[in-house]
Amino acid sequence: MKTHAQAVVIGGGVIGCSILYHLAKLGWSDVVLLERDELTSGSTWHAAANIHGLHDSANISRLQHYTMTLYKELEAETGQSCGVFQPGSLYLAQTEDREHQLRLQAAKARLYGMNFHEITRDAAERLHPLVDFDGIRCIMWEPEGGNVDPSGVTNAYAVGARQKGGEIHRFTPVTATVQQSDGTWIVETPKGEIRTPWVINAAGLWGREVAKLAGLSLPLQPTEHQYFVTDTVAQIAGLDRRLPSVADRDGEYYLRQEGQGLLIGAYERDMRFWAEDGTPLDFAHDLFPDDLERIEDNMMRAIDRVPAVAEAGIKRVINGPMIWSPDANVLMGPVPELHGYFCCCGIIPGFSQSAGMGLMAAQWIVQGEMEYDMFAWDLARFGPWADKAFTRARVRDQYAHRFAIHYPNEERAAGRPVRTRPVYEVQKQMGAVFGLNYGWEHPQWFADAPGAQDTNGFTRQNWFEPVGREARMLRERAGIIDISNFAKYRVAGPGAEDWLNAVFANRMPRAVGRSCLTPLISVRGGIAGDATVTRTGEEEFWIVSSGAAERYHARFFDMVPLPDGTRFETQTEAVCGFNLAGPASREILQSLTDTSLETAEFPFMASRRISVAGVQCLALRVSFTGDLGWELHCATQDQETLYRALLEAGQAHGAGPVGARALMSLRIEKGYGSWGREYSPEYWPQEVGLDRLCKMDKHFLNKAAAEEVLARPARERLVLLHLDEAAVNASDADATGGEPIFRNGKGIGRVTSGTYGYTVGKSLALGFVAGAEAGAEVDVMILGRPHRARILSEPPFDPRGARLRA
């Protein structure tokens, strides 16, 4: 066994072998995989191994499509069969909402050149004569859907990796991972040690145990999962072709042909956790006792849909473990707090995503960043707040609602609250309906009385009118927005300015009391983030950025060493904040402070330390609403005092609390982008209008990458769209994000944010388009159907910024 390697992969399941293969494919031949038992041990070997290309996320769809394509290429490359069967897949919609979901996916498939389209009932009956299609509203057909052989795929990756120089050692358990003073790692096994700059935890069911060897806790929890295979079905035996699989997600089961019988699996409501205190080290190719009574309801729905199931005996039952993250997405990426430690754990649809996951992991390790924005997979979306109780509650919810639709703006209640701030109970009593933001409870909107809950759907929901009242209140008078969910940092010391200039693309403000907006450039030259940086002293700066990206951005901050004597401190927990905005905001705030707020003394983008109702605040004259306003940042222990004072002073002016959904509407009326939607590592500065903030006459993080992309023409541009009112009103739906954009039948882009602009009376969307300018007419595929829209030349609210600077 080698004593040194470029990377060591721990875990010989399908994902570990895919990562090894893709590392070697990208040129790293000096790589090693260590497996404690035989390849496929754990959860790989017993997987149903269904494959499908479409997902609600466009980027995950791209990676699933790549995975399905690679399997055939892998067979040709290695000579190892992957056992690929692609008789196609039928997707059924029993409900209107499921129809909306499938039509949206079909529109995305058309945009990205994937094969997924609607077919008639007659066509579906010819494809699958065993299915009873009564009660089905819509049928979609994916010709490439099917399944693979788990062992065949895993061994094909292994053969391909070995052909490219990779080494695999079976029956070689890892007993320790020890980080050295130079940041490298020593991986200890009974067969010897390997020194490596990269440890890759792809240990599947043992992901938690391997992580603990490095002092790391991962939010993962295994469950049992069952499927069964029937005896021979006479109708199938009489066919000369393989039947397509059936995705009847409203029925909460999956079904496909297996041999001359059928394989049926379910995610039951009466689920079972397993190995809550740790996965046994002697578990390998083991299964649990059958417990079909748990999935009886799901089985009956499958029998109703495919009556032949009732006539077939059960040949075998598979009840094996799966390991889940709190949102059922993989935990992937370099651990921000552990240099050179990479995770890829908690994968559920492993055989639909294995190649894409391996490619993304290899790109991140070898090239420094993935080509796609995959924050939905990034382990940095969770922090220490995602404890065992939260993980357990969320995994229960994810498993039991595996096939439930994930609606736009949906906020699931399982495991909450986890993190609250002092005003949580006050807001709750005021009717706040909360959402989750990096573990924090954050007001989405305010109902007339406590206890209200969101309804969910693709059309306008119960919060539509209340959010409109909040937005109009702020524009006409004033509103108070809790912005405590923003990430906040303090940088102080003699090297603070130089360090910030070396991190961010814009030049830091030179005068005390001034602020700037600045991009953070990604490894490939895209937008890793945006921040407001304020100079609060000669050697002190205040940074406000995306709260959801706090742990993600830590990787970038750590790329630039801090100068001696300079401190970087996260203040998100220690400091809370409110944005008081609207035309009456100056008058309201002035009644609570002795500091003059007149524009001549407190202009736009200025800051002051002021006292507000006796509370010491850092006041910034900025507002994400695009209106006149101030951000007020105070110590967490003073949050409730400040909030009550602002609310009381605002009452005389008709001002009150405003939630995040109204803020979304207000910022889109102004055309403002947001991180994770319009600002992403995938998008270049000139495509989102931030190129003017990249000061190319100074050094900053990833400047060479920025220079390279800025020298190229924009591939597409961020635009603001006004949707036709008649079409929107007829469907009772606005764009929400992800809807494809077509022009004359050709796909030219997609929506990133959408909402109704209550104070301008327009349904609006931000999105990226190629080859279309202001004034052009396009079609936005809301609910998967075309809705006419026009590209605006300027935002409908205050395009010159007069209100903002008043």
Side-chain angles (χ1 to χ4, degrees):
M1 190 168 71
K2 292 180 176 180
T3 58
H4 292 77
Q6 289 170 289
V8 173
V9 180
I10 303 173
V14 66
I15 301 301
C17 290
S18 174
I19 293 172
L20 189 76
Y21 169 80
H22 282 92
L23 286 170
K25 190 173 183 178
L26 292 188
W28 279 25
S29 58
D30 186 16
V31 288
V32 176
L33 183 147
L34 303 175
E35 163 55 43
R36 56 178 294 277
D37 198 275
E38 184 57 85
L39 296 185
T40 76
S41 296
S43 57
T44 292
W45 72 274
H46 63 74
N50 301 317
I51 57 173
H52 55 276
L54 266 292
H55 191 280
D56 289 338
S57 161
N59 280 347
I60 294 178
S61 292
R62 285 167 164 166
L63 294 177
Q64 292 185 172
H65 190 261
Y66 166 75
T67 298
M68 293 167 66
T69 302
L70 184 70
Y71 287 146
K72 292 289 183 69
E73 297 173 4
L74 201 57
E75 288 182 326
E77 178 185 326
T78 65
Q80 166 69 44
S81 171
C82 291
V84 180
F85 295 98
Q86 291 181 293
S89 297
L90 292 166
Y91 291 78
L92 314 182
Q94 296 186 36
T95 66
E96 183 179 43
D97 278 352
R98 187 71 67 180
E99 181 179 356
H100 291 331
Q101 182 194 40
L102 292 181
R103 292 195 185 284
L104 273 167
Q105 289 183 342
K108 292 175 185 178
R110 183 178 157 210
L111 176 65
Y112 294 109
M114 300 174 188
N115 200 349
F116 183 90
H117 58 271
E118 186 173 9
I119 60 172
T120 65
R121 175 171 177 163
D122 285 347
E125 287 175 338
R126 289 193 295 273
L127 288 164
H128 205 313
L130 274 64
V131 176
D132 179 355
F133 291 98
D134 284 353
I136 299 300
R137 299 172 56 99
C138 169
I139 306 168
M140 293 291 175
W141 171 239
E142 183 181 27
E144 285 78 36
N147 64 283
V148 294
D149 170 36
S151 295
V153 169
T154 305
N155 283 299
Y157 283 132
V159 170
R162 287 191 184 107
Q163 289 176 346
K164 299 176 189 304
E167 286 189 10
I168 295 176
H169 296 274
R170 298 171 301 143
F171 305 102
T172 309
V174 171
T175 56
T177 53
V178 183
Q179 190 166 32
Q180 306 301 294
S181 58
D182 62 355
T184 62
W185 293 83
I186 290 179
V187 180
E188 298 179 6
T189 79
K191 298 180 181 179
E193 299 177 349
I194 305 176
R195 183 183 286 267
T196 179
W198 280 103
V199 171
I200 302 166
N201 179 355
L205 290 176
W206 295 270
R208 296 172 298 172
E209 286 69 33
V210 169
K212 285 178 184 176
L213 296 177
L216 179 66
S217 178
L218 294 178
L220 294 168
Q221 174 58 53
T223 69
E224 296 183 15
H225 176 63
Q226 294 185 95
Y227 65 84
F228 66 91
V229 178
T230 73
D231 291 325
T232 296
V233 175
Q235 296 98 314
I236 295 177
L239 294 173
D240 59 358
R241 61 183 175 85
R242 193 175 179 90
L243 292 171
S245 60
V246 177
D248 184 9
R249 289 170 177 165
D250 294 317
E252 298 184 317
Y253 65 87
Y254 55 86
L255 181 150
R256 67 167 173 82
Q257 184 174 335
E258 177 72 9
Q260 291 190 335
L262 292 167
L263 181 153
I264 301 168
Y267 294 92
E268 70 280 9
R269 300 298 173 92
D270 184 20
M271 54 83 67
R272 294 289 185 272
F273 293 117
W274 178 70
E276 292 189 64
D277 296 321
T279 304
L281 296 180
D282 59 354
F283 192 89
H285 287 80
D286 302 279
L287 292 173
F288 309 129
D290 305 350
D291 191 3
L292 288 180
E293 287 187 8
R294 290 212 318 268
I295 65 171
E296 185 176 352
D297 290 345
N298 308 70
M299 290 168 59
M300 295 309 297
R301 288 191 290 271
I303 290 171
D304 288 343
R305 187 63 58 201
V306 184
V309 175
E311 302 168 10
I314 294 177
K315 184 176 181 179
R316 68 177 181 275
V317 178
I318 301 293
N319 185 11
M322 310 170 76
I323 190 163
W324 300 69
S325 76
D327 60 5
N329 278 335
V330 63
L331 300 179
M332 190 171 84
V335 177
E337 302 80 17
L338 285 178
H339 180 76
Y341 196 100
F342 194 98
C343 283
C344 197
C345 300
I347 301 99
I348 301 303
F351 287 91
S352 287
Q353 298 178 351
S354 67
M357 212 166 279
L359 176 63
M360 293 298 98
Q363 286 183 352
W364 209 337
I365 292 165
V366 175
Q367 300 170 353
E369 191 170 80
M370 302 177 288
E371 64 181 287
Y372 298 133
D373 177 4
M374 296 303 300
F375 186 73
W377 284 1
D378 193 334
L379 60 80
R381 69 190 185 275
F382 296 112
W385 51 267
D387 59 15
K388 189 171 182 177
F390 175 81
T391 300
R392 192 177 189 276
R394 298 297 270 202
V395 168
R396 179 186 292 279
D397 179 73
Q398 288 293 331
Y399 184 98
H401 299 94
R402 176 65 179 157
F403 290 138
I405 296 169
H406 288 263
Y407 292 104
N409 301 301
E410 182 180 9
E411 297 283 352
R412 295 192 177 181
R416 296 168 47 199
V418 184
R419 307 168 91 187
T420 61
R421 293 186 170 89
V423 298
Y424 172 70
E425 290 296 336
V426 176
Q427 292 170 332
K428 193 174 178 180
Q429 290 305 310
M430 293 171 63
V433 179
F434 294 91
L436 194 68
N437 186 293
Y438 197 59
W440 295 106
E441 292 297 315
H442 187 68
Q444 299 296 299
W445 58 284
F446 289 83
D448 293 332
Q453 296 180 342
D454 281 332
T455 58
N456 293 306
F458 291 100
T459 55
R460 292 169 177 169
Q461 296 299 304
N462 65 332
W463 48 266
F464 182 81
E465 290 300 334
V467 168
R469 289 195 294 271
E470 292 172 26
R472 286 186 285 269
M473 173 181 67
L474 188 145
R475 285 279 192 247
E476 295 167 8
R477 301 179 296 278
I480 301 151
I481 306 169
D482 189 340
I483 58 169
S484 303
N485 60 312
F486 290 172
K488 299 167 285 288
Y489 314 94
R490 177 177 175 269
V491 184
E497 181 177 1
D498 289 343
W499 184 78
L500 287 167
N501 271 318
V503 170
F504 290 110
N506 201 353
R507 185 171 290 104
M508 294 301 103
R510 293 194 172 98
V512 174
R514 297 299 296 176
S515 303
C516 74
L517 177 67
T518 177
L520 178 68
I521 302 299
S522 72
V523 172
R524 294 176 182 264
I527 304 297
D530 64 308
T532 300
V533 182
T534 300
R535 189 167 201 140
T536 54
E538 291 299 330
E539 296 184 349
E540 183 182 60
F541 292 82
W542 181 253
I543 307 167
V544 179
S545 190
S546 168
E550 186 170 350
R551 197 174 178 211
Y552 167 81
H553 285 153
R555 297 190 186 108
F556 293 88
F557 297 146
D558 288 344
M559 289 178 186
V560 181
L562 278 169
D564 290 343
T566 300
R567 303 180 309 282
F568 175 90
E569 300 166 349
T570 298
Q571 297 287 297
T572 307
E573 292 191 28
V575 175
C576 294
F578 298 101
N579 180 201
L580 174 61
S585 60
R586 176 182 281 119
E587 192 174 349
I588 294 169
L589 186 57
Q590 191 66 79
S591 71
L592 298 171
T593 183
D594 293 332
T595 302
S596 173
L597 304 177
E598 294 302 318
T599 299
E601 292 152 291
F602 209 139
F604 178 61
M605 296 297 281
S607 71
R608 303 280 188 275
R609 295 191 186 278
I610 68 174
S611 175
V612 180
V615 175
Q616 294 303 306
C617 297
L618 174 63
L620 313 180
R621 198 179 148 187
V622 295
S623 177
F624 201 30
T625 64
D627 217 312
L628 173 67
W630 281 261
E631 286 186 5
L632 303 169
H633 300 275
C634 69
T636 295
Q637 60 265 31
D638 295 328
Q639 186 195 27
E640 185 174 346
T641 301
L642 178 61
Y643 195 45
R644 290 186 183 279
L646 292 171
L647 290 169
E648 184 178 349
Q651 281 182 349
H653 298 267
V658 170
R661 290 191 185 144
L663 178 58
M664 165 84 86
S665 173
L666 297 167
R667 64 106 176 160
I668 292 177
E669 290 179 347
K670 183 64 175 171
Y672 285 166
S674 176
W675 186 86
R677 289 178 174 266
E678 290 73 42
Y679 302 150
S680 153
E682 281 188 54
Y683 307 141
W684 297 348
Q686 67 270 40
E687 294 170 346
V688 297
L690 295 182
D691 47 326
R692 61 188 175 82
L693 301 181
C694 296
K695 305 305 181 185
M696 305 309 292
D697 58 347
K698 76 177 185 78
H699 173 74
F700 55 85
L701 185 64
N702 299 318
K703 178 183 177 182
E707 286 178 324
E708 184 180 343
V709 301
L710 286 169
R712 305 178 196 172
R715 302 160 298 182
E716 53 190 3
R717 291 195 182 276
L718 179 63
V719 298
L720 184 58
L721 299 141
H722 172 209
L723 287 109
D724 179 75
E725 299 304 319
V728 168
N729 290 335
S731 60
D732 193 33
D734 302 284
T736 58
E739 294 88 352
I741 301 171
F742 289 85
R743 187 183 188 195
N744 299 325
K746 178 185 176 183
I748 63 168
R750 70 259 166 232
V751 171
T752 49
S753 295
T755 186
Y756 189 74
Y758 298 94
T759 74
V760 295
K762 293 177 169 61
S763 186
L764 301 170
L766 284 167
F768 288 89
V769 299
E773 303 299 327
E777 298 280 330
V778 298
D779 288 314
V780 178
M781 302 299 285
I782 296 175
L783 307 181
R785 300 184 185 277
H787 288 59
R788 189 59 100 183
R790 182 171 56 86
I791 299 175
L792 300 178
S793 59
E794 60 184 20
F797 175 74
D798 192 25
R800 306 290 171 262
R803 288 268 290 260
L804 198 64
R805 294 172 171 81

